[in-house]
Amino acid sequence: MGILDFLKRRPEPTATVARERLRIIVAQERSSRGAPDYLPMMRNELLEVIKKYVHVDIEAININLERDSGHEILELSVTLPDGKKKPDAGDAATAS
Amino acid sequence: MTAEIIVVTSGKGGVGKTTTSASLATGLAMAGKKVAVIDFDVGLRNLDLIMGCERRVVYDFVNVVHGEATLKQSLIKDKRYENLYVLAASQTRDKDALTQEGVEKVLDSLSEDGFDYVICDSPAGIEKGAHLAMYFADKAVVVVNPEVSSVRDSDRILGLLASKTRRAERGEGQVTQHLLLTRYNPARVAIGEMLSVTDVEDILGIKVVGVIPESENVLTASNNGIPVIVDTASPAGQAYSDTVARILGEERPLRFIDVPKKGFLQRVFGG
């Protein structure tokens, strides 16, 4: 690094970006590892049901399967949008 | 006494599995152990080249599995270490030529012949060849580069080691997992361009057994068909020696993970 380097603009360190992206994807893939095959399908069906009442994206539905000694916990969380409004009849029909 | 089976695997290709297999096998032989190193990459054999015995391959792993040659005929004795043997992969057969029973028989025979270690050089991917290479393992060396796709793939491999091995299926305890970080460039880590040792350890939740610096000696060694660990003057060779010692139970601090300090003039004028 020379003296003139002070004049150059420093970009964001890309290693930090890589680390954060990996943290998220690895955690996500670990949680679905060894989980039953029906989980993604169940997630889609749940989305269809929820959509009848609230407008949510598939990303808003989080399914987590946790194994403890002896029992399993299926955790389902849905992030609701700010303005919770019922879709009109037309939307409900296409969702069904 | 049964042989200890160590798989060298990674998921992603080109991260240094064969380089690591060759140096690990040679390092264990240098420590006086009787070692066989097997290439599981049927159709794309390369371990013979890295070990420098490509012109002495007569029979291969698939020949032994199919009873077309004896194990004794197929094991290639290393030029440098008399207690080190190479079993080459077949270059002509397709990847379905290996069977689980066939691989088990070869590993059992090596055990009966008094081998201390069998190193299984896995092909890339998670298909049959990679599965067979890890199935009978007692220990695994997961080779990873400080790069996003390699880190993600190695996490997948760690998951498979915990579930798709004979040990896991029989409930005989976990395959011992060793993480080996290769192609590490401390200078790029220092300026935030490359994931650090700690980053990779944190993401994967496992400590490294060694860090091999990116080094021109690795290419030189493969050009010459001499495992880089034999080059005891090179940083990569020394880092591999440390790794082998740690796998044998010795405690050694990590080396070559910091940038060498620059002189005053270099700091002022750059370079």
Side-chain angles (χ1 to χ4, degrees):
Chain A
M1 199 196 308
I3 6 177
L4 291 178
D5 287 353
F6 284 113
L7 301 174
K8 290 182 199 159
R9 187 183 283 265
R10 257 303 138 111
E12 277 294 302
T14 54
T16 314
V17 180
R19 187 178 59 216
E20 292 319 310
R21 289 174 62 215
L22 277 168
R23 278 228 173 99
I24 294 163
I25 194 69
V26 165
Q28 193 186 319
E29 286 176 350
R30 278 186 186 181
S31 68
S32 60
R33 187 183 292 166
D37 295 339
Y38 61 73
L39 278 190
M41 240 157 66
M42 190 168 83
R43 189 161 110 139
N44 284 335
E45 280 180 40
L46 282 168
L47 177 72
E48 295 304 313
V49 175
I50 295 164
K51 258 189 178 167
K52 286 183 186 172
Y53 305 94
V54 201
H55 270 300
V56 290
D57 200 51
I58 187 123
E59 252 95 77
I61 302 181
N62 219 329
I63 298 183
N64 214 348
L65 192 70
E66 273 184 42
R67 287 190 185 82
D68 241 339
S69 50
H71 64 283
E72 292 182 354
I73 302 168
L74 184 68
E75 190 183 67
L76 172 77
S77 77
V78 184
T79 315
L80 295 174
D82 283 340
K84 286 173 245 167
K85 60 163 192 182
K86 266 185 144 183
D88 56 45
D91 279 354
T94 48
S96 60
Chain B
M1 187 62 199
T2 54
E4 181 156 62
I5 299 162
I6 306 179
V7 60
V8 177
T9 182
S10 71
K12 193 177 180 295
V15 296
K17 280 184 298 296
T18 301
T19 300
T20 298
S21 297
S23 279
L24 176 58
T26 307
L28 289 167
M30 287 161 102
K33 310 289 182 189
K34 189 174 177 184
V35 186
V37 54
I38 307 178
D39 191 347
F40 275 75
D41 205 347
V42 174
L44 288 169
R45 85 168 166 227
N46 275 318
L47 181 68
D48 54 336
L49 268 180
I50 304 301
M51 293 293 294
C53 64
E54 70 277 9
R55 295 180 49 159
R56 293 192 287 138
V57 180
V58 182
Y59 295 110
D60 57 55
F61 192 17
V62 175
N63 292 138
V64 185
V65 165
H66 288 246
E68 295 152 359
T70 63
L71 185 57
K72 206 173 174 181
Q73 286 175 309
S74 313
L75 285 172
I76 307 161
K77 197 173 184 165
D78 186 70
K79 283 176 289 190
R80 285 163 290 269
Y81 301 95
E82 57 169 23
N83 46 343
L84 175 60
Y85 295 82
V86 179
L87 185 53
S90 171
Q91 190 66 311
T92 50
R93 304 294 187 89
D94 67 86
K95 58 183 182 347
D96 292 325
L98 292 179
T99 61
Q100 190 159 301
E101 299 73 35
V103 171
E104 187 174 19
K105 241 186 230 171
V106 171
L107 294 175
D108 286 347
S109 311
L110 288 169
S111 228
E112 284 162 22
D113 288 350
F115 277 87
D116 299 306
Y117 288 94
V118 179
I119 311 300
C120 303
D121 182 19
S122 172
I126 51 171
E127 302 298 319
K128 194 176 177 189
H131 170 72
L132 286 175
M134 72 163 69
Y135 188 72
F136 298 99
D138 300 304
K139 277 185 183 167
V141 173
V142 178
V143 184
V144 62
N145 288 169
E147 180 270 327
V148 285
S149 49
S150 175
V151 174
R152 180 200 210 169
D153 288 359
S154 56
D155 188 63
R156 182 108 168 78
I157 289 291
L158 290 169
L160 293 175
L161 283 167
S163 59
K164 306 280 184 203
T165 53
R166 184 167 68 173
R167 276 177 169 274
E169 285 179 5
R170 290 187 179 173
E172 293 173 340
Q174 289 276 312
V175 174
T176 311
Q177 299 174 345
H178 294 297
L179 188 67
L180 182 67
L181 189 55
T182 62
R183 299 203 160 165
Y184 196 68
N185 187 330
R188 298 197 76 181
V189 172
I191 55 173
E193 283 183 358
M194 184 180 268
L195 293 166
S196 70
V197 180
T198 330
D199 288 340
V200 177
E201 286 182 336
D202 286 353
I203 293 160
L204 297 174
I206 167 175
K207 291 278 174 196
V208 296
V209 72
V211 177
I212 313 299
E214 191 163 52
S215 157
E216 53 201 52
N217 309 102
V218 175
L219 181 59
T220 312
S222 82
N223 285 344
N224 290 325
I226 301 168
V228 71
I229 197 167
V230 176
D231 182 1
T232 50
S234 72
Q238 291 173 15
Y240 270 119
S241 297
D242 287 352
T243 305
V244 171
R246 288 188 203 105
I247 288 173
L248 287 169
E250 213 178 296
E251 291 219 5
R252 289 197 186 180
L254 289 175
R255 290 194 276 172
F256 317 110
I257 53 169
D258 296 313
V259 193
K261 287 218 165 59
K262 283 183 177 183
F264 174 74
L265 287 176
Q266 268 181 309
R267 263 187 286 151
V268 173
F269 296 107

